[in-house]
Amino acid sequence: MPRSVWCWPLVGAFTGVLAGTVFLILRALHVPATISAVWSIGIQVLLTGGLHEDGLADMADGCGGGSTLERRLEIMRDSRIGSYGALALGICLLIRVTALTALPVMLVLPALALAGALSRAMLPLLPFTLRPARENGLARQLMGLTRDQVLGCLFSAFCVALLCVSSHIALLTCLLALCVACVLRATAKRLLNGYTGDVLGAIASITDCVVLTALVAVWNG
């Protein structure tokens, strides 16, 4: 898995392009923007298996409902969703859907590609700078990431950003994505004493929302 991190942003961009294509096809068929956006985000979730959304919901439940480290990790492993997770998931999906409807139609593809790339580019930063919160789990496979592997991932994401938007917007969105990673890293370190796969999923989902929101603000400003 560590050897594949360089292409994660490319995979994210590809899923964003596919989701954006669904949106454009539906709009061409005169389907209202909101319905088209719901289908588009639904396809994107289907393509990724809802992995990141599941992580967001689990982290929200664990960090919101647990009073101790052990209890938080236990809640995050529970397959059931609680009120905090449901709220976080609902808000995340609403932001992504409404952001698509607020974007100019011709900018949907670059916006989804950029958000997909940056949301994946943030994932290796936590395993590179934090220890796993558990002694077992999928996230431990990312232990031992090298600096070159992390930089390769960030570089591929920045290349995607430059292809999608102008250089100053690319720089802005990259900085915002890094801010999200820093905040989630601090949260994971304080509440979980490390990272888990759910934390990585939460970073991807929240970064997606922040980048799309920023693009809406820039292009409608």
Side-chain angles (χ1 to χ4, degrees), residues 9-41:
L10 305 182
V11 174
F14 180 66
T15 59
V17 168
L18 290 180
T21 301
V22 171
F23 180 88
L24 295 180
I25 291 173
L26 292 175
R27 291 296 288 135
L29 296 174
H30 306 293
V31 176
T34 303
I35 299 175
S36 300
V38 172
W39 274 105
S40 177
I41 298 302

Side-chain angles (χ1 to χ4, degrees), residues 16 19-21 23-24 40 100 103-113 219:
T21 301
F23 180 88
L24 295 180
S40 177
L100 284 191
L103 286 169
V105 172
M106 297 310 297
L107 297 177
V108 166
L109 278 182
L112 286 176
W219 281 327

Side-chain angles (χ1 to χ4, degrees), residues 1-197:
M1 189 178 290
R3 288 182 298 177
S4 70
V5 297
W6 68 270
C7 70
W8 289 3
L10 305 182
V11 174
F14 180 66
T15 59
V17 168
L18 290 180
T21 301
V22 171
F23 180 88
L24 295 180
I25 291 173
L26 292 175
R27 291 296 288 135
L29 296 174
H30 306 293
V31 176
T34 303
I35 299 175
S36 300
V38 172
W39 274 105
S40 177
I41 298 302
I43 292 295
Q44 195 172 31
V45 171
L46 182 64
L47 288 170
T48 59
L51 190 64
H52 301 141
E53 290 77 14
D54 178 69
L56 173 65
D58 285 343
M59 184 178 179
D61 276 334
C63 294
S67 57
T68 65
L69 170 61
E70 293 74 16
R71 181 57 180 154
R72 292 182 194 113
L73 292 175
E74 179 185 353
I75 292 173
M76 289 169 68
R77 271 216 160 135
D78 193 333
S79 61
R80 294 170 295 182
I81 187 170
S83 57
Y84 292 107
L87 287 168
L89 186 57
I91 291 170
C92 172
L93 293 175
L94 280 173
I95 290 173
R96 290 160 68 183
V97 167
T98 53
L100 284 191
T101 62
L103 286 169
V105 172
M106 297 310 297
L107 297 177
V108 166
L109 278 182
L112 286 176
L114 176 58
L118 292 182
S119 63
R120 272 64 170 187
M122 298 302 105
L123 300 184
L125 295 180
L126 262 69
F128 185 64
T129 59
L130 275 182
R131 59 180 294 275
R134 296 191 182 98
E135 293 302 320
N136 52 25
L138 181 65
R140 288 186 65 84
Q141 296 183 29
L142 290 171
M143 287 184 63
L145 280 173
T146 67
R147 182 183 62 181
D148 289 345
Q149 289 169 334
V150 175
L151 289 177
C153 179
L154 296 174
F155 178 74
S156 63
F158 190 64
C159 288
V160 171
L162 291 176
L163 288 173
C164 292
V165 295
S166 60
S167 58
H168 70 280
I169 296 178
L171 182 60
L172 170 65
T173 52
C174 287
L175 290 175
L176 286 174
L178 287 171
C179 288
V180 172
C182 289
V183 170
L184 267 292
R185 183 194 181 280
T187 302
K189 183 175 177 60
R190 183 171 68 88
L191 298 179
L192 303 173
N193 196 32
Y195 74 94
T196 69

